[in-house]
Amino acid sequence: MGDGGATQRESLEALLQEARLFRPAPEFSKNANAGDAEIYARAAKDLEGFWADEAKRLDWIEPWKKVLEWDAPWAEWFVGGKLNVAANCVDRHAASARRNKAAIIWEGEPGDTRVLTFGMLQREVNRFANGLKSLGVKKGERVAIYMGMIPELAITMLACAKIGAPHSVVFGGFSAESLRERINDAQAKVLITADGAWRRGNVVPLKANADAALEGTPSIEKVVVVDRVGKQANATMKAGRDVTWDELVKDASDKCAAEPMDAEDMLYILYTSGTTGKPKGVVHTTAGYLVGVSTTHHYIFDVKENDVYWCTADIGWVTGHSYIVYGPLANGCTSLMYEGSPDYPDRGRFWSVVSKYGVNIFYTAPTAIRTFMRWGREWPARYDLSSLRLLGTVGEPINPEAWIWYHENIGRQRCPIVDTWWQTETGMVLMSPLPGLVPTKPGSATRPFPGVEADVVDEKGRTVPPGAGGYLVLTKPWPAMFRTIYGDPERYVRQYWSRYEGKYFTGDGAKRDEDSYFWLLGRVDDVMNVAGHRISTYEVESALVDHDSVAEAAVIGKTDAIKGQAIASFVTLKEGTLPSDALKRELREHVAARIGSIARPDEIFFTSELPKTRSAKIMRRLLRDIAEGRLLGDTTTLADSAVVGKLKQQYEEEG
Ligand code: WTA
C-alpha cells in the first residue's frame, strides 16, 4: 500500500451530486440480450447455477463435473471439463452458417484493409498452429508475442490456444528491456514478432527491439517475423534462429486438430504493473475465462448477429485480449481491429472508420474521449455515425463531462453508455450497467455484473455507509478471475488476498451512493493510470535511479485533464551533477528506453532533498499535494518539515 489514499477524483462530493439519470429506451430494452432484471436475483441466489447455464454457450469436449471448487484464494471453475478455446472462437463458427461471416475486419494505419471470415480465420489459425508445432512448440510451452495491431497477432493467439501453448503478449510499445524481462519470467520458447509496426506514419522497429531483447533470453529458440513494414523497417534476420511468417506457413496444412484442454489449463500470461517489484505475470486459464468473457460480452455489449463491434484497445492489454479477441469471437461476432492512432492521418480517423464499416458498438477509453473533446465536436460531426447503437468505456474513471460529451457527440443522445470497471486480474468486466436494464448516471460504473459481489470497506474491512469512501473489494469468486501470479503464488496471496481475509483487494478506491451505485475513485496504491495505461511509480523510479546522474527519485501520478494522470518525478542528483534542461530531457528518454514511451515522465523536477518520514520513507502524498497545487496535508511525521515547505515554494516558482 502506498501512503496515498489520494485518488484521481478530488471533488467526490461534487461527483456524488451528479443527479442526472439516463433510463434505457424502451425499444432498446425490448430487444436487449439482458432484458429481464430477474437475472440479478437469479445469479445472487444460485451463483454456480447461473454460471453453469452461461457455460452452455460454449462447446465442450467433455462436460465439467463440478462448477466451482473454492478454497479461498484458490479457485477452480468447471472442474473436470475439457474444451479448446480456438475451437470455440473459430472452428465451431466456421462449421456453421457463420462460415463466410467476417470474424475480423482489419483496418491498417496506411489505409490497407483485410477481412477474415471465420472460415478464412480457421485456415490461417491452423496453418500457423502447424507452423508452431514444426518449430517444436508443445502443449504447455510459452510463446511470447511482440507485435503491432495486425491480424497475425490474433491469429497467433488463437493458434497458441489451438495447440495448448500459453501465450504472453507484450505490448508493442514496450522497450527491449521490458520485453526481455517478460520473456525470461515466462521462459518463453519462441517469439513471434514483426519487422516493424506503423505508428503515425513512422516505423516502430519491433524486430530491432526484439533482437536487443534476445541478447539476454536463453529460453528463446526460434523467432517468427511477420513482414508488415518491409524495407523501411531495416530488420535483419539471424540465420538458424529467425524465420519469416510466410516461410513458416508456406507448406503448412490448413487442418489442425484442437488440443483438448483441461478447464484449468493455462490459456495465457499477461504482465501488468504492481505496486512493488517487477511486473507480474497474471495467469488466466481456459474454461472460466472464456465463459466469463463471452457472457459479459453478450450481455454488456448486447451484440446481435449482424453487428459490427469495435473495441479500440491494443491487444497488448487485457481489454484487447478479452474484448477484441476472445469474448467477441467466442460469440461469433464481427470484431474490428484498427492498427493506427486516432489522429492519423487526421483527427477524424475513428469516425471515418465507424462510418466506413457501419460500426454498431464502440468501446474506448475516457482518455481518448477527453482528447476528442479537446479536438472539438466538429470532427465527429462530419461523419455519419447513425450505425452506432451502444457505446462503452474502460480503463479509468470517466468524468461526467466526458460522459455527457460522448453521449451527445458520438451517441447523438441515442446510445446507452456502458462504463465498464475491471482489471487485468479480473479477466472480465465485473462492474457495468446492463444496457437494457440499468439506468445510468454519468461517471458511475453502476452495479456489479450478475453473480459478482463487491463491497466498499474501511481499513479494518468493515462495510462503509453510503456516501463514504473506502476500498473496493470483491467478496465472491468469478469465473474469469486470474488463478495466480506466474511463478509466484505467494505474491498472489499476499498482494490480493491477505489484506482482508477471503476477500479480493482491488487496489481501487470507491464510494457507493444511496442507490447502491458504485463510483470508482482511482487507485489507492502506487499504481498510476496514465492515459488508461497501468504503470507503477516503482518501475519509473527504478528506471530513473538507474541513470548515472540520479541519486534518488520519487514518482507520482499527477491529475491531468486529458490523461487522467501524468507522470511527475522528483529527482535528487548525485553530488557534482548539475541540474539542466538537457539532463531533464535525457532522463525522460532514459525512462522511455528502459520501459517504453508510455512511461516517459511528463515532468522532472530537480530537488536537493525529498520529504521523508523519520523511518526514511518518501512521502509521496505530500509530493502529490505539491504537484497539484494543494495545501500540504499532514506533515507531522516528517523527519524534517522544512524540506517540504521549501520544495513547494521552489516547485511553484519554477512551475
Ligand atoms: C482502472 C483495464 C474506473 C482501475 C481493464 C483498475 C477503471 C485499473 C475502470 C485496471 C472504470 C479500469 N472506471 N476505473 N470503468 N476500468 N479502471 O489492469 O483503477 O489495465 O484497477 O485493466 O484501471 O487496469 P488494467
Side-chain angles (χ1 to χ4, degrees):
M1 279 299 292
D3 60 346
T7 63
Q8 281 157 276
R9 290 182 163 188
E10 295 303 335
S11 57
L12 302 179
E13 303 320 317
L15 195 69
L16 284 179
Q17 265 142 42
E18 174 59 59
R20 285 169 286 195
L21 192 70
F22 293 79
R23 292 184 192 284
E27 356 23 299
F28 193 99
S29 301
K30 202 168 70 198
N31 299 314
N33 290 354
D36 186 350
E38 185 260 348
I39 189 173
Y40 286 104
R42 187 158 51 88
K45 209 170 112 217
D46 179 12
L47 180 75
E48 294 181 30
F50 172 77
W51 286 113
D53 281 347
E54 296 301 338
K56 291 179 193 144
R57 68 178 69 250
L58 301 184
D59 275 4
W60 295 77
I61 298 168
E62 267 177 45
W64 62 89
K65 298 192 173 62
K66 195 160 184 247
V67 178
L68 172 65
E69 194 76 68
W70 177 231
D71 178 12
W74 308 105
E76 284 179 47
W77 282 86
F78 306 106
V79 183
K82 289 207 187 311
L83 73 169
N84 182 282
V85 166
N88 273 283
C89 291
V90 184
D91 298 346
R92 63 172 174 154
H93 307 307
S96 76
R98 291 184 179 133
R99 179 168 193 79
N100 294 316
K101 172 179 174 175
I104 294 175
I105 296 178
W106 176 76
E107 171 85 12
E109 188 194 80
D112 45 346
T113 61
R114 191 170 166 196
V115 177
L116 289 161
T117 65
F118 281 100
M120 292 155 84
L121 182 61
Q122 180 183 45
R123 290 194 291 279
E124 295 299 321
V125 168
N126 287 347
R127 271 150 45 101
F128 195 66
N130 287 322
L132 286 173
K133 282 187 188 172
S134 72
L135 295 178
V137 178
K138 301 202 175 53
K139 180 173 176 174
E141 291 183 326
R142 277 81 54 216
V143 173
I145 306 175
Y146 182 61
M147 260 191 228
M149 285 286 284
I150 53 177
E152 286 80 0
L153 172 50
I155 293 167
T156 303
M157 293 162 78
L158 292 162
C160 287
K162 187 116 201 206
I163 65 170
H167 55 71
S168 165
V169 179
V170 179
F171 172 59
F174 276 123
S175 66
E177 192 158 322
S178 295
L179 174 61
R180 181 190 306 141
E181 198 172 73
R182 286 159 176 77
I183 287 175
N184 286 338
D185 189 82
Q187 288 292 295
K189 183 169 182 175
V190 301
L191 170 67
I192 319 303
T193 187
D195 54 353
W198 291 114
R199 190 73 191 159
R200 293 195 175 91
N202 298 318
V203 175
V204 182
L206 291 174
K207 179 59 165 58
N209 289 349
D211 286 337
L214 293 174
E215 277 165 25
T217 56
S219 64
I220 293 286
E221 293 173 10
K222 295 281 177 193
V223 178
V224 183
V225 186
V226 179
D227 174 10
R228 168 61 186 139
V229 170
K231 280 207 175 57
Q232 280 187 68
N234 278 326
T236 53
M237 300 289 279
K238 185 169 165 181
R241 184 194 69 183
D242 301 351
V243 54
T244 67
W245 177 286
D246 292 342
E247 259 171 74
L248 185 71
V249 300
K250 195 167 47 138
D251 302 317
S253 156
D254 61 8
K255 307 248 173 338
C256 176
E259 187 69 35
M261 301 299 285
D262 186 86
E264 284 298 330
D265 277 339
M266 182 165 38
L267 176 63
Y268 68 80
I269 308 172
L270 183 57
Y271 287 84
T272 189
S273 295
T275 47
T276 53
K278 56 190 174 86
K280 38 193 191 196
V282 167
V283 171
H284 283 293
T285 59
T286 299
Y289 176 79
L290 200 63
V291 170
V293 297
S294 59
T295 304
T296 46
H297 186 260
H298 174 75
Y299 289 119
I300 295 170
F301 296 106
D302 195 56
V303 182
K304 305 291 193 263
E305 189 60 45
N306 294 318
D307 278 344
V308 176
Y309 160 92
W310 182 18
C311 166
T312 69
D314 190 292
I315 293 177
W317 311 108
V318 75
T319 304
H321 281 61
S322 298
Y323 297 107
I324 296 177
V325 181
Y326 292 119
L329 295 181
N331 290 337
C333 159
T334 300
S335 187
L336 195 144
M337 203 175 152
Y338 172 53
E339 181 184 31
S341 31
D343 58 352
Y344 192 84
D346 67 39
R347 292 172 167 183
R349 184 66 157 136
F350 272 18
W351 320 123
S352 95
V353 171
V354 167
S355 71
K356 176 174 178 187
Y357 295 103
V359 171
N360 305 102
I361 297 154
F362 179 75
Y363 188 31
T364 197
T367 190
I369 298 167
R370 290 190 296 264
T371 305
F372 301 142
M373 283 172 80
R374 197 183 54 184
W375 290 346
R377 60 181 72 219
E378 54 281 15
W379 284 104
R382 278 181 209 152
Y383 295 89
D384 177 8
L385 304 183
S386 60
S387 58
L388 289 173
R389 203 165 62 70
L390 176 76
L391 304 175
T393 76
V394 61
E396 51 184 318
I398 181 162
N399 43 315
E401 305 71 48
W403 196 102
I404 294 289
W405 189 92
Y406 196 32
H407 175 67
E408 290 178 348
N409 294 285
I410 309 303
R412 310 263 159 98
Q413 303 191 337
R414 195 185 60 240
C415 305
I417 296 180
V418 292
D419 173 359
T420 64
W421 175 87
W422 57 298
Q423 307 177 308
T424 306
E425 293 88 339
T426 72
M428 66 189 228
V429 175
L430 291 189
M431 223 181 263
S432 165
L434 292 182
L437 288 175
V438 180
T440 51
K441 300 182 187 184
S444 168
T446 73
R447 57 184 293 184
F449 190 77
V452 174
E453 281 186 27
D455 198 5
V456 180
V457 301
D458 65 13
E459 287 289 344
K460 295 216 161 65
R462 294 172 301 213
T463 301
V464 301
Y471 302 104
L472 181 68
V473 296
L474 302 164
T475 56
K476 290 250 174 83
W478 62 98
M481 63 194 281
F482 68 141
R483 299 300 196 262
T484 191
I485 296 298
Y486 191 72
D488 198 353
E490 196 265 330
R491 191 169 172 192
Y492 170 76
V493 178
R494 177 166 36 91
Q495 196 154 327
Y496 298 97
W497 300 93
S498 298
R499 207 174 145 86
Y500 307 111
E501 180 76 35
K503 291 178 186 160
Y504 171 82
F505 175 61
T506 61
D508 276 2
K511 276 196 185 198
R512 221 171 346 198
D513 67 16
E514 299 289 344
D515 300 325
S516 295
Y517 273 45
F518 286 82
W519 299 78
L520 275 305
L521 305 175
R523 302 289 304 195
V524 294
D525 52 14
D526 293 328
V527 174
M528 298 178 283
N529 192 327
V530 181
H533 296 144
R534 220 168 123 167
I535 302 164
S536 88
T537 54
Y538 170 88
E539 283 172 86
V540 181
E541 285 168 5
S542 309
L544 282 166
V545 171
D546 154 89
H547 188 278
D548 282 344
S549 315
V550 175
E552 214 175 13
V555 168
I556 56 146
K558 169 182 175 173
T559 302
D560 181 274
I562 301 287
K563 299 204 267 188
Q565 288 188 312
I567 304 177
S569 41
F570 294 79
V571 170
T572 64
L573 294 172
K574 285 193 183 145
E575 210 134 326
T577 309
L578 291 177
S580 68
D581 283 344
L583 183 56
K584 275 189 192 175
R585 278 194 298 276
E586 190 179 318
L587 291 180
R588 294 178 74 235
E589 290 322 307
H590 178 77
V591 174
R594 276 295 132 104
I595 306 174
S597 48
I598 54 165
R600 183 185 286 116
D602 297 275
E603 271 182 30
I604 296 212
F605 186 80
F606 294 123
T607 172
S608 53
E609 247 178 303
L610 288 166
K612 289 186 187 160
T613 62
R614 278 178 277 270
S615 53
K617 210 172 156 251
I618 296 172
M619 288 196 75
R620 290 200 186 75
R621 173 171 61 76
L622 295 175
L623 294 176
R624 224 178 278 129
D625 289 341
I626 291 174
E628 295 177 354
R630 268 191 307 272
L631 287 176
L632 292 174
D634 186 5
T635 58
T636 49
T637 55
L638 284 176
D640 177 359
S641 58
V643 169
V644 70
K646 207 169 84 192
L647 185 58
K648 185 170 167 60
Q649 195 188 349
Q650 223 184 0
Y651 187 88
E652 281 160 10
E653 281 166 12
E654 282 190 33

